[in-house]
mmCIF file of all heavy atoms in Angstrom:
data_model
loop_
_atom_site.group_PDB
_atom_site.id
_atom_site.type_symbol
_atom_site.label_atom_id
_atom_site.label_comp_id
_atom_site.label_asym_id
_atom_site.label_seq_id
_atom_site.Cartn_x
_atom_site.Cartn_y
_atom_site.Cartn_z
ATOM 1 N N GLY A 23 0.666 11.933 24.921
ATOM 2 C CA GLY A 23 2.045 12.156 25.291
ATOM 3 C C GLY A 23 3.008 12.006 24.133
ATOM 4 O O GLY A 23 2.650 12.129 22.959
ATOM 5 N N LEU A 24 4.242 11.713 24.461
ATOM 6 C CA LEU A 24 5.330 11.623 23.493
ATOM 7 C C LEU A 24 5.070 10.563 22.424
ATOM 8 O O LEU A 24 5.625 10.613 21.334
ATOM 9 C CB LEU A 24 6.621 11.299 24.252
ATOM 10 C CG LEU A 24 7.953 11.376 23.510
ATOM 11 C CD1 LEU A 24 8.165 12.765 22.952
ATOM 12 C CD2 LEU A 24 9.085 11.001 24.451
ATOM 13 N N TRP A 25 4.194 9.607 22.725
ATOM 14 C CA TRP A 25 3.915 8.527 21.782
ATOM 15 C C TRP A 25 3.165 9.012 20.537
ATOM 16 O O TRP A 25 3.288 8.402 19.484
ATOM 17 C CB TRP A 25 3.080 7.437 22.468
ATOM 18 C CG TRP A 25 2.572 6.397 21.518
ATOM 19 C CD1 TRP A 25 3.255 5.312 21.033
ATOM 20 C CD2 TRP A 25 1.276 6.343 20.912
ATOM 21 N NE1 TRP A 25 2.451 4.590 20.169
ATOM 22 C CE2 TRP A 25 1.239 5.202 20.081
ATOM 23 C CE3 TRP A 25 0.138 7.150 20.997
ATOM 24 C CZ2 TRP A 25 0.103 4.843 19.346
ATOM 25 C CZ3 TRP A 25 -0.995 6.800 20.271
ATOM 26 C CH2 TRP A 25 -1.001 5.662 19.458
ATOM 27 N N LEU A 26 2.398 10.100 20.632
ATOM 28 C CA LEU A 26 1.555 10.545 19.516
ATOM 29 C C LEU A 26 2.377 10.548 18.228
ATOM 30 O O LEU A 26 3.317 11.319 18.071
ATOM 31 C CB LEU A 26 1.010 11.941 19.790
ATOM 32 C CG LEU A 26 -0.067 12.441 18.817
ATOM 33 C CD1 LEU A 26 -1.326 11.575 18.896
ATOM 34 C CD2 LEU A 26 -0.414 13.893 19.095
ATOM 35 N N PRO A 27 2.049 9.639 17.281
ATOM 36 C CA PRO A 27 2.939 9.402 16.137
ATOM 37 C C PRO A 27 3.041 10.581 15.172
ATOM 38 O O PRO A 27 2.111 11.372 15.014
ATOM 39 C CB PRO A 27 2.304 8.192 15.441
ATOM 40 C CG PRO A 27 1.420 7.564 16.467
ATOM 41 C CD PRO A 27 0.918 8.701 17.315
ATOM 42 N N LEU A 28 4.199 10.689 14.523
ATOM 43 C CA LEU A 28 4.394 11.643 13.442
ATOM 44 C C LEU A 28 3.843 11.063 12.139
ATOM 45 O O LEU A 28 3.921 9.858 11.904
ATOM 46 C CB LEU A 28 5.885 11.936 13.247
ATOM 47 C CG LEU A 28 6.569 12.834 14.272
ATOM 48 C CD1 LEU A 28 8.068 12.829 14.036
ATOM 49 C CD2 LEU A 28 6.024 14.236 14.214
ATOM 50 N N ASN A 29 3.309 11.908 11.301
ATOM 51 C CA ASN A 29 2.832 11.471 9.985
ATOM 52 C C ASN A 29 3.031 12.615 8.984
ATOM 53 O O ASN A 29 2.304 13.587 9.020
ATOM 54 C CB ASN A 29 1.356 11.079 10.054
ATOM 55 C CG ASN A 29 0.848 10.466 8.763
ATOM 56 O OD1 ASN A 29 1.638 10.010 7.935
ATOM 57 N ND2 ASN A 29 -0.454 10.467 8.576
ATOM 58 N N PRO A 30 4.019 12.527 8.091
ATOM 59 C CA PRO A 30 4.965 11.423 7.911
ATOM 60 C C PRO A 30 6.017 11.412 9.016
ATOM 61 O O PRO A 30 6.301 12.435 9.625
ATOM 62 C CB PRO A 30 5.597 11.725 6.558
ATOM 63 C CG PRO A 30 5.535 13.212 6.436
ATOM 64 C CD PRO A 30 4.240 13.616 7.088
ATOM 65 N N ARG A 31 6.604 10.250 9.221
ATOM 66 C CA ARG A 31 7.425 10.068 10.405
ATOM 67 C C ARG A 31 8.841 10.604 10.283
ATOM 68 O O ARG A 31 9.581 10.596 11.270
ATOM 69 C CB ARG A 31 7.471 8.590 10.781
ATOM 70 C CG ARG A 31 8.176 7.695 9.765
ATOM 71 C CD ARG A 31 8.244 6.267 10.272
ATOM 72 N NE ARG A 31 8.995 5.392 9.371
ATOM 73 C CZ ARG A 31 9.396 4.160 9.697
ATOM 74 N NH1 ARG A 31 9.108 3.671 10.885
ATOM 75 N NH2 ARG A 31 10.074 3.429 8.834
ATOM 76 N N HIS A 32 9.238 11.075 9.102
ATOM 77 C CA HIS A 32 10.622 11.537 8.934
ATOM 78 C C HIS A 32 10.751 13.046 9.073
ATOM 79 O O HIS A 32 11.834 13.597 8.866
ATOM 80 C CB HIS A 32 11.154 11.107 7.561
ATOM 81 C CG HIS A 32 10.513 11.796 6.412
ATOM 82 N ND1 HIS A 32 9.178 11.667 6.122
ATOM 83 C CD2 HIS A 32 11.017 12.643 5.462
ATOM 84 C CE1 HIS A 32 8.879 12.391 5.051
ATOM 85 N NE2 HIS A 32 9.979 12.994 4.647
ATOM 86 N N LYS A 33 9.667 13.740 9.439
ATOM 87 C CA LYS A 33 9.737 15.196 9.608
ATOM 88 C C LYS A 33 8.735 15.625 10.673
ATOM 89 O O LYS A 33 7.868 14.854 11.079
ATOM 90 C CB LYS A 33 9.464 15.904 8.282
ATOM 91 C CG LYS A 33 8.107 15.584 7.679
ATOM 92 C CD LYS A 33 7.833 16.392 6.416
ATOM 93 C CE LYS A 33 8.783 16.067 5.302
ATOM 94 N NZ LYS A 33 8.422 16.769 4.042
ATOM 95 N N GLY A 34 8.864 16.887 11.121
ATOM 96 C CA GLY A 34 7.953 17.391 12.144
ATOM 97 C C GLY A 34 8.391 17.084 13.568
ATOM 98 O O GLY A 34 7.576 17.054 14.485
ATOM 99 N N PHE A 35 9.689 16.871 13.774
ATOM 100 C CA PHE A 35 10.197 16.545 15.111
ATOM 101 C C PHE A 35 9.991 17.720 16.067
ATOM 102 O O PHE A 35 9.818 18.869 15.653
ATOM 103 C CB PHE A 35 11.674 16.181 15.044
ATOM 104 C CG PHE A 35 11.971 15.018 14.144
ATOM 105 C CD1 PHE A 35 12.489 15.204 12.870
ATOM 106 C CD2 PHE A 35 11.695 13.722 14.558
ATOM 107 C CE1 PHE A 35 12.746 14.136 12.030
ATOM 108 C CE2 PHE A 35 11.948 12.639 13.726
ATOM 109 C CZ PHE A 35 12.477 12.848 12.460
ATOM 110 N N ALA A 36 10.003 17.427 17.368
ATOM 111 C CA ALA A 36 9.811 18.456 18.381
ATOM 112 C C ALA A 36 10.884 19.533 18.279
ATOM 113 O O ALA A 36 12.038 19.257 17.925
ATOM 114 C CB ALA A 36 9.829 17.823 19.772
ATOM 115 N N THR A 37 10.486 20.756 18.595
ATOM 116 C CA THR A 37 11.392 21.906 18.540
ATOM 117 C C THR A 37 11.376 22.629 19.884
ATOM 118 O O THR A 37 10.649 22.249 20.805
ATOM 119 C CB THR A 37 10.947 22.888 17.442
ATOM 120 O OG1 THR A 37 9.682 23.475 17.829
ATOM 121 C CG2 THR A 37 10.783 22.173 16.106
ATOM 122 N N ASP A 38 12.163 23.716 19.957
ATOM 123 C CA ASP A 38 12.162 24.521 21.170
ATOM 124 C C ASP A 38 11.248 25.736 21.055
ATOM 125 O O ASP A 38 11.287 26.633 21.894
ATOM 126 C CB ASP A 38 13.581 24.963 21.519
ATOM 127 C CG ASP A 38 14.226 25.766 20.396
ATOM 128 O OD1 ASP A 38 13.570 25.993 19.350
ATOM 129 O OD2 ASP A 38 15.397 26.154 20.560
ATOM 130 N N LYS A 39 10.387 25.773 20.041
ATOM 131 C CA LYS A 39 9.478 26.907 19.861
ATOM 132 C C LYS A 39 8.409 26.918 20.950
ATOM 133 O O LYS A 39 7.872 25.868 21.304
ATOM 134 C CB LYS A 39 8.824 26.834 18.483
ATOM 135 C CG LYS A 39 9.817 26.970 17.336
ATOM 136 C CD LYS A 39 9.113 26.857 15.991
ATOM 137 C CE LYS A 39 10.120 27.004 14.844
ATOM 138 N NZ LYS A 39 9.462 26.856 13.513
ATOM 139 N N PRO A 40 8.084 28.089 21.479
ATOM 140 C CA PRO A 40 7.121 28.176 22.595
ATOM 141 C C PRO A 40 5.748 27.597 22.271
ATOM 142 O O PRO A 40 5.062 27.105 23.169
ATOM 143 C CB PRO A 40 7.034 29.685 22.859
ATOM 144 C CG PRO A 40 8.312 30.241 22.329
ATOM 145 C CD PRO A 40 8.660 29.399 21.148
ATOM 146 N N ASN A 41 5.339 27.652 20.997
ATOM 147 C CA ASN A 41 4.009 27.148 20.643
ATOM 148 C C ASN A 41 4.011 25.668 20.269
ATOM 149 O O ASN A 41 2.977 25.130 19.869
ATOM 150 C CB ASN A 41 3.426 27.966 19.498
ATOM 151 C CG ASN A 41 4.253 27.857 18.214
ATOM 152 O OD1 ASN A 41 5.418 27.444 18.271
ATOM 153 N ND2 ASN A 41 3.662 28.230 17.094
ATOM 154 N N ASP A 42 5.151 25.014 20.396
ATOM 155 C CA ASP A 42 5.236 23.580 20.086
ATOM 156 C C ASP A 42 4.730 22.799 21.296
ATOM 157 O O ASP A 42 5.299 22.895 22.385
ATOM 158 C CB ASP A 42 6.693 23.197 19.785
ATOM 159 C CG ASP A 42 6.840 21.765 19.287
ATOM 160 O OD1 ASP A 42 5.933 20.944 19.555
ATOM 161 O OD2 ASP A 42 7.864 21.461 18.648
ATOM 162 N N PRO A 43 3.654 22.006 21.133
ATOM 163 C CA PRO A 43 3.132 21.252 22.282
ATOM 164 C C PRO A 43 4.112 20.221 22.819
ATOM 165 O O PRO A 43 3.975 19.765 23.949
ATOM 166 C CB PRO A 43 1.869 20.587 21.729
ATOM 167 C CG PRO A 43 2.068 20.539 20.254
ATOM 168 C CD PRO A 43 2.854 21.773 19.922
ATOM 169 N N PHE A 44 5.122 19.857 22.029
ATOM 170 C CA PHE A 44 6.146 18.909 22.475
ATOM 171 C C PHE A 44 7.480 19.610 22.677
ATOM 172 O O PHE A 44 8.535 19.005 22.531
ATOM 173 C CB PHE A 44 6.304 17.787 21.446
ATOM 174 C CG PHE A 44 5.054 16.978 21.250
ATOM 175 C CD1 PHE A 44 4.187 17.263 20.205
ATOM 176 C CD2 PHE A 44 4.730 15.948 22.111
ATOM 177 C CE1 PHE A 44 3.026 16.529 20.021
ATOM 178 C CE2 PHE A 44 3.573 15.207 21.941
ATOM 179 C CZ PHE A 44 2.712 15.500 20.893
ATOM 180 N N ARG A 45 7.413 20.899 23.024
ATOM 181 C CA ARG A 45 8.600 21.742 23.065
ATOM 182 C C ARG A 45 9.739 21.106 23.847
ATOM 183 O O ARG A 45 9.556 20.566 24.939
ATOM 184 C CB ARG A 45 8.260 23.111 23.652
ATOM 185 C CG ARG A 45 7.677 23.067 25.040
ATOM 186 C CD ARG A 45 7.108 24.425 25.453
ATOM 187 N NE ARG A 45 6.418 24.349 26.743
ATOM 188 C CZ ARG A 45 5.162 23.947 26.883
ATOM 189 N NH1 ARG A 45 4.465 23.579 25.833
ATOM 190 N NH2 ARG A 45 4.599 23.906 28.074
ATOM 191 N N ILE A 46 10.929 21.181 23.263
ATOM 192 C CA ILE A 46 12.129 20.629 23.881
ATOM 193 C C ILE A 46 12.554 21.503 25.054
ATOM 194 O O ILE A 46 12.548 22.734 24.969
ATOM 195 C CB ILE A 46 13.262 20.541 22.835
ATOM 196 C CG1 ILE A 46 12.917 19.469 21.790
ATOM 197 C CG2 ILE A 46 14.589 20.233 23.492
ATOM 198 C CD1 ILE A 46 13.878 19.427 20.630
ATOM 199 N N ASP A 47 12.910 20.867 26.143
ATOM 200 C CA ASP A 47 13.319 21.577 27.344
ATOM 201 C C ASP A 47 14.823 21.402 27.546
ATOM 202 O O ASP A 47 15.289 20.304 27.844
ATOM 203 C CB ASP A 47 12.565 21.027 28.553
ATOM 204 C CG ASP A 47 12.833 21.820 29.827
ATOM 205 O OD1 ASP A 47 13.739 22.678 29.816
ATOM 206 O OD2 ASP A 47 12.147 21.563 30.825
ATOM 207 N N PRO A 48 15.620 22.471 27.373
ATOM 208 C CA PRO A 48 17.073 22.348 27.552
ATOM 209 C C PRO A 48 17.465 21.984 28.977
ATOM 210 O O PRO A 48 18.570 21.487 29.219
ATOM 211 C CB PRO A 48 17.593 23.745 27.171
ATOM 212 C CG PRO A 48 16.415 24.645 27.324
ATOM 213 C CD PRO A 48 15.210 23.836 27.008
ATOM 214 N N ASN A 49 16.564 22.202 29.943
ATOM 215 C CA ASN A 49 16.843 21.846 31.335
ATOM 216 C C ASN A 49 16.413 20.420 31.666
ATOM 217 O O ASN A 49 16.538 19.984 32.811
ATOM 218 C CB ASN A 49 16.126 22.827 32.274
ATOM 219 C CG ASN A 49 16.620 24.252 32.105
ATOM 220 O OD1 ASN A 49 17.817 24.488 32.016
ATOM 221 N ND2 ASN A 49 15.698 25.202 32.044
ATOM 222 N N ASP A 50 15.888 19.720 30.671
ATOM 223 C CA ASP A 50 15.410 18.355 30.897
ATOM 224 C C ASP A 50 15.994 17.428 29.833
ATOM 225 O O ASP A 50 15.280 16.741 29.112
ATOM 226 C CB ASP A 50 13.883 18.322 30.853
ATOM 227 C CG ASP A 50 13.305 17.078 31.538
ATOM 228 O OD1 ASP A 50 14.094 16.275 32.066
ATOM 229 O OD2 ASP A 50 12.081 16.917 31.532
ATOM 230 N N ASP A 51 17.316 17.457 29.717
ATOM 231 C CA ASP A 51 18.036 16.551 28.825
ATOM 232 C C ASP A 51 17.676 16.777 27.356
ATOM 233 O O ASP A 51 17.802 15.870 26.532
ATOM 234 C CB ASP A 51 17.751 15.095 29.229
ATOM 235 C CG ASP A 51 18.758 14.111 28.651
ATOM 236 O OD1 ASP A 51 19.884 14.541 28.354
ATOM 237 O OD2 ASP A 51 18.418 12.931 28.487
ATOM 238 N N ASP A 52 17.220 17.982 27.021
ATOM 239 C CA ASP A 52 16.835 18.318 25.637
ATOM 240 C C ASP A 52 15.798 17.349 25.081
ATOM 241 O O ASP A 52 15.779 17.040 23.888
ATOM 242 C CB ASP A 52 18.060 18.339 24.713
ATOM 243 C CG ASP A 52 18.920 19.571 24.933
ATOM 244 O OD1 ASP A 52 18.341 20.643 25.237
ATOM 245 O OD2 ASP A 52 20.149 19.476 24.824
ATOM 246 N N ARG A 53 14.922 16.894 25.943
ATOM 247 C CA ARG A 53 13.884 15.956 25.531
ATOM 248 C C ARG A 53 12.584 16.688 25.212
ATOM 249 O O ARG A 53 12.264 17.711 25.816
ATOM 250 C CB ARG A 53 13.603 14.947 26.645
ATOM 251 C CG ARG A 53 14.807 14.118 27.041
ATOM 252 C CD ARG A 53 15.000 12.960 26.104
ATOM 253 N NE ARG A 53 16.054 12.067 26.580
ATOM 254 C CZ ARG A 53 16.203 10.811 26.183
ATOM 255 N NH1 ARG A 53 15.367 10.293 25.306
ATOM 256 N NH2 ARG A 53 17.189 10.070 26.649
ATOM 257 N N PRO A 54 11.788 16.138 24.279
ATOM 258 C CA PRO A 54 10.448 16.685 24.056
ATOM 259 C C PRO A 54 9.567 16.445 25.278
ATOM 260 O O PRO A 54 9.744 15.461 26.007
ATOM 261 C CB PRO A 54 9.936 15.885 22.853
ATOM 262 C CG PRO A 54 11.148 15.315 22.194
ATOM 263 C CD PRO A 54 12.131 15.081 23.310
ATOM 264 N N LEU A 55 8.622 17.343 25.508
ATOM 265 C CA LEU A 55 7.697 17.206 26.621
ATOM 266 C C LEU A 55 6.824 15.967 26.429
ATOM 267 O O LEU A 55 6.301 15.721 25.343
ATOM 268 C CB LEU A 55 6.798 18.445 26.722
ATOM 269 C CG LEU A 55 5.686 18.383 27.762
ATOM 270 C CD1 LEU A 55 6.263 18.380 29.170
ATOM 271 C CD2 LEU A 55 4.714 19.542 27.592
#
């Protein structure tokens, strides 16, 4: 889930791209899945 850590942690944040497994949902408070 959302806990899966970033490495390095200062980049690679979730996006709204369809192929992003943590894709941001604008209908869900703009949160990563």
Side-chain angles (χ1 to χ4, degrees):
L24 190 59
W25 171 82
L26 190 64
L28 285 171
N29 187 19
R31 66 176 184 168
H32 69 297
K33 59 176 64 175
F35 301 102
T37 67
D38 58 1
K39 296 179 180 178
N41 63 342
D42 187 338
F44 298 97
R45 58 191 174 277
I46 291 173
D47 186 350
N49 297 316
D50 200 2
D51 197 25
D52 286 326
R53 300 278 187 161
L55 174 68

